[in-house]
Amino acid sequence: MATIQSTQNKPFCFNYFQSLSQTPHRLRKRMLATWTPDQELNEVRLRSGADMKRKLRWYDLVALGISGMLGVGVFVTTGTVARDTSGPSVFISYIIAGISALLSSLCYTEFSVQIPVAGGAFSYLRMTFGEFVGYLAGANILMEYVLSNAAVARSFTEYLCSAFGVSDPNSWRVEVNGLLEGDNKLDFIAVAVILLLTLCLCHSTKESSILNLIMTIFHVVFFGFIIIVGFCNGSVDNLVKPGGLAPKGVRGVFEGAAKVYFSYIGYDSVSTLAEEIQNPPVSLPVGIVGSVLIVSGLYCLMALALCMMVPYNQISEKASYSMAFQKIGWKWAGNVVGAGASLGIVASLLVAMLGQARYLCVIGRARLVPSWLSKVHPSTGTPLNATLFLGLCTASIALFTDLKIVIEMINISTLLVFYLVANALIYRKYVITRKNPPFRTLSFLFLLTSSAVGFSISWKLKQQWWGLPLFGGIMITITAFFQYMVPCLGQPSEWSVPFMPWPAATSIFLNVFLMTTLKLLSFLRFAICTCLITVFYVLYGVHSTFEAEEMEMEIMAANEVPNPSILLIKLDV
């Protein structure tokens, strides 16, 4: 035990500069390092100390999935996309984005049933493609959560103003001269909401879920009110006037789909609760897929109701539903919408902040960030440190940053992670599980991505319409050829995606296409963030994980303990 104690007391930075000189060697050893599901479920999970408490049931997951998506989608993106991009056909944009989200959710579901850990996409990719790809996806999805939560918290202020009959939400914000435009209106209400939810999530997951379930019931009833009133008091003429159903054509519909994909951030939060669910093989498929289907239907109906009440070119950019009711003469209903939307936004924030803390907790278990972020409080069964840390980060961004600045960069991160998860499912199912040679599967994934890029470039060039059927046909041909040539035999798992590889291949194709519809500036911002993420991995992450693995091996050898999971409880790198 003296060996363990001396190893524990050795600080990570003791020989840091010497470690930097070994960076190339450590990168070669760690970047493609993978874990097995058994190691992830047992050895790695023990690094958090206490276990998370399994108290959630399938209906908790459905409610959490619905709340995670509803408040974000309808009340933040629908109005701006209908006004500026898709027109009245915004409901078709939601259908396209919903199909893509459903296919991605199927991929998430199979992974979460087979590997029921709190790490979500990070864990799935780390076990399939190695540490660096998992870290890249995990860091991007964390960035997506923090930025989207900050954006949604600021929209809460807008709808709360509407509930009290205040038309200008900036009147409740503090303007500071000297800051950049877009960052100069401080939102202390958004900060207060985030901090209160952070304290709630630190206390208990089950109690937070009960609170969310109550809010979800009221929220769905409230949605029904908006849909019924919109259909009864709106006019079908507003769907075709002015400019027709799709004033910017098919291109506007698909570009709108890429933007409203922001609305589907939330269902992946359900997969991060896998360690807190009773009967994961049953509850996870119902929770993830069921919530996506329900929300997709509600999105379409809500979008139609909005465009029937008000011509698309008169939709308000801020608090669009409240202003729509005021324009048809229902001012009191506009105030009710503001109150209901505020409640929905609080529920969606609750779910997203629940998910982001579990992502960071598992990344901490892998030692890619400081290990104190991975600790689970023994009394509450929650990742206390990760929840507090991310709550403070989200509150800081919400204080300054406007929604427009972050929304498209969020979509790129979301689409990239969903793209990687679909690739990982095909590779894991055909190579790791079925023991097929990797060359054919990797070649298929490369050709599939290339055909999606070719299709997207043809779409961008506008005049090269011959490329659309050509590359679309290539995608169908190579997928059918792969299905015929590479067998996927063996005993099925507890839950698996049907008709493989078609759902995952279609998800890859759609995610690539939707990414290319976003603006170049979004890619530049994303590239800068990815570079910073990579620099952090090279300067800290790879050395931390290398030192942790070496230390565990030394302790095992010195003490001749055959079961390393016993030591992982004591190890705190």
Side-chain angles (χ1 to χ4, degrees):
M1 292 305 294
T3 305
I4 297 176
Q5 185 65 35
S6 63
T7 307
Q8 281 183 305
N9 290 337
K10 180 181 177 180
F12 170 73
C13 59
F14 182 71
N15 289 320
Y16 179 66
F17 290 106
Q18 184 180 358
S19 299
L20 286 180
S21 66
Q22 302 175 20
T23 298
H25 165 70
R26 294 183 174 191
L27 285 172
R28 285 194 299 270
K29 190 169 182 179
R30 295 303 309 164
M31 283 183 70
L32 299 179
T34 59
W35 290 78
T36 65
D38 182 65
Q39 288 174 316
E40 191 76 24
L41 290 168
N42 296 295
E43 297 175 17
V44 177
R45 190 167 65 177
L46 289 173
R47 293 176 176 174
S48 288
D51 284 337
M52 299 182 193
K53 297 179 179 179
R54 292 190 179 275
K55 292 186 176 182
L56 302 180
R57 298 180 181 273
W58 66 267
Y59 51 83
D60 293 306
L61 299 190
V62 173
L64 287 165
I66 291 173
S67 294
M69 290 180 278
L70 277 185
V72 177
V74 172
F75 300 117
V76 176
T77 58
T78 305
T80 55
V81 172
R83 177 188 176 97
D84 302 328
T85 309
S86 299
S89 62
V90 64
F91 74 95
I92 303 177
S93 297
Y94 271 116
I95 292 173
I96 296 168
I99 292 171
S100 183
L102 178 62
L103 294 172
S104 295
S105 73
L106 292 173
C107 300
Y108 264 86
T109 301
E110 179 163 336
F111 266 122
S112 63
V113 169
Q114 293 179 1
I115 312 165
V117 294
F122 166 74
S123 295
Y124 311 151
L125 293 169
R126 191 166 72 108
M127 284 184 282
T128 306
F129 292 139
E131 181 177 277
F132 178 72
V133 175
Y135 163 77
L136 188 66
N140 269 293
I141 209 160
L142 268 180
M143 178 185 70
E144 162 217 308
Y145 270 119
V146 171
L147 292 177
S148 64
N149 289 344
V152 172
R154 288 182 70 92
S155 70
F156 170 82
T157 303
E158 295 170 5
Y159 273 96
L160 192 63
C161 286
S162 179
F164 285 94
V166 179
S167 59
D168 182 16
N170 287 328
S171 63
W172 284 19
R173 294 174 177 143
V174 178
E175 186 169 355
V176 178
N177 296 325
L179 295 178
L180 293 174
E181 183 67 28
D183 293 333
N184 61 339
K185 294 181 175 63
L186 306 187
D187 196 331
F188 290 100
I189 295 176
V191 171
V193 169
I194 291 171
L195 294 180
L196 286 172
L197 290 177
T198 299
L199 294 176
C200 178
L201 292 171
C202 287
H203 175 65
S204 170
T205 301
K206 181 59 179 178
E207 277 68 23
S208 299
S209 174
I210 294 172
L211 174 64
N212 173 77
L213 185 60
I214 295 170
M215 289 192 292
T216 300
I217 293 171
F218 280 105
H219 201 196
V220 171
V221 171
F222 163 70
F223 268 44
F225 165 76
I226 293 178
I227 292 168
I228 292 170
V229 172
F231 274 70
C232 292
N233 293 273
S235 171
V236 178
D237 291 340
N238 288 335
L239 296 177
V240 293
K241 295 178 183 178
L245 183 64
K248 296 189 178 180
V250 177
R251 186 173 304 278
V253 174
F254 277 94
E255 289 177 354
K259 292 182 179 179
V260 300
Y261 208 91
F262 174 71
S263 312
Y264 290 92
I265 295 174
Y267 75 79
D268 53 317
S269 296
V270 176
S271 68
T272 67
L273 299 170
E275 293 182 22
E276 299 162 86
I277 298 167
Q278 299 177 10
N279 195 11
V282 174
S283 299
L284 281 165
V286 174
I288 297 174
V289 178
S291 60
V292 171
L293 289 172
I294 292 170
V295 167
S296 296
L298 289 173
Y299 278 160
C300 294
L301 294 174
M302 288 285 287
L304 276 171
L306 177 64
C307 293
M308 287 176 65
M309 283 191 288
V310 182
Y312 81 92
N313 59 344
Q314 297 179 27
I315 293 175
S316 174
E317 188 175 354
K318 302 288 186 181
S320 51
Y321 281 87
S322 295
M323 299 305 171
F325 273 104
Q326 291 183 23
K327 287 182 179 179
I328 65 171
W330 289 41
K331 188 173 182 180
W332 65 270
N335 295 344
V336 172
V337 169
S342 300
L343 180 66
I345 286 170
V346 170
S348 71
L349 274 173
L350 178 73
V351 176
M353 293 174 68
L354 196 71
Q356 72 180 14
R358 278 136 190 85
Y359 267 112
L360 186 58
C361 173
V362 177
I363 294 173
R365 288 176 185 170
R367 301 302 188 249
L368 288 163
V369 295
S371 61
W372 59 270
L373 290 168
S374 70
K375 298 304 178 185
V376 173
H377 195 277
S379 298
T380 63
T382 60
L384 185 66
N385 294 341
T387 303
L388 288 172
F389 176 76
L390 288 175
L392 292 173
C393 290
T394 305
S396 300
I397 296 173
L399 182 63
F400 295 97
T401 308
D402 189 37
L403 173 65
K404 283 184 177 180
I405 296 174
V406 301
I407 188 169
E408 290 194 356
M409 190 167 70
I410 292 167
N411 286 339
I412 291 178
S413 298
T414 307
L415 292 167
L416 175 66
V417 172
F418 291 170
Y419 162 81
L420 289 173
V421 169
N423 276 273
L425 180 64
I426 292 175
Y427 187 84
R428 185 168 190 85
K429 183 179 282 287
Y430 284 88
V431 177
I432 298 176
T433 305
R434 309 305 184 200
K435 307 299 182 183
N436 290 306
F439 177 75
R440 289 182 178 179
T441 302
L442 290 173
S443 299
F444 165 65
L445 294 175
F446 173 76
L447 291 173
L448 180 62
T449 299
S450 299
S451 66
V453 172
F455 184 93
S456 303
I457 291 173
S458 299
W459 177 270
K460 279 282 188 182
L461 294 178
K462 298 183 180 181
Q463 297 178 349
Q464 306 296 329
W465 289 106
W466 56 267
L468 300 181
L470 172 64
F471 290 108
I474 290 174
M475 178 264 181
I476 295 171
T477 302
I478 61 175
T479 304
F481 183 74
F482 176 77
Q483 184 181 29
Y484 176 76
M485 292 297 297
V486 182
C488 187
L489 305 175
Q491 293 295 325
S493 60
E494 293 175 291
W495 195 97
S496 60
V497 179
F499 310 113
M500 281 291 287
W502 290 97
T506 307
S507 177
I508 291 170
F509 194 89
L510 285 174
N511 285 323
V512 171
F513 175 73
L514 291 174
M515 273 192 282
T516 60
T517 61
L518 299 173
K519 295 177 181 178
L520 179 60
L521 182 60
S522 303
F523 284 90
L524 293 176
R525 288 172 177 160
F526 173 75
I528 292 171
C529 290
T530 301
C531 287
L532 294 175
I533 288 169
T534 304
V535 168
F536 181 84
Y537 177 75
V538 172
L539 294 181
Y540 177 86
V542 68
H543 303 291
S544 179
T545 58
F546 183 88
E547 295 283 347
E549 297 301 320
E550 291 293 313
M551 198 176 298
E552 289 174 10
M553 292 174 64
E554 289 174 8
I555 296 173
M556 289 170 57
N559 293 275
E560 296 180 351
V561 178
N563 184 5
S565 63
I566 298 173
L567 295 171
L568 290 170
I569 301 175
K570 303 175 185 191
L571 182 63
D572 186 9
V573 178

